[in-house]
Amino acid sequence: MRVEVDQGLCSGHAQCAVAAPDLFQLDEDGYVLPYDGEVPEEREPQARVGARACPERALKILTT
Ligand code: F3S
């Protein structure tokens, strides 16, 4: 699983970082930083929760 971050959609709600602080971090202005690489399997549920928490739908879960 990977997470595609659309920084154009991010409005700084920070709900992703509240829901999944180990995965999603914010820059100094409160906008989500890109998530690079594979999500570790044991953190996949947390990644889904974090993505769902975003009211702007800026985080997309990619599974292949
Ligand atoms: Fe941005 Fe959504 Fe997180 S607006 S800071 S990606 S909750």
Side-chain angles (χ1 to χ4, degrees):
M1 172 195 283
R2 300 174 76 89
V3 180
E4 186 178 86
V5 174
D6 187 333
Q7 292 183 285
L9 284 178
C10 177
S11 301
H13 292 290
Q15 295 306 304
C16 55
V18 170
D22 293 338
L23 293 172
F24 302 118
Q25 280 154 16
L26 307 179
D27 68 16
E28 61 202 22
D29 296 318
Y31 294 94
V32 72
L33 292 168
Y35 186 89
D36 292 324
E38 287 283 324
V39 176
E41 200 173 324
E42 67 275 12
R43 289 188 172 169
E44 288 185 357
Q46 199 184 11
R48 291 184 198 280
V49 170
R52 270 201 304 269
C54 177
E56 306 293 342
R57 298 285 178 253
L59 307 176
K60 190 152 102 182
I61 299 292
L62 304 175
T63 55
T64 48

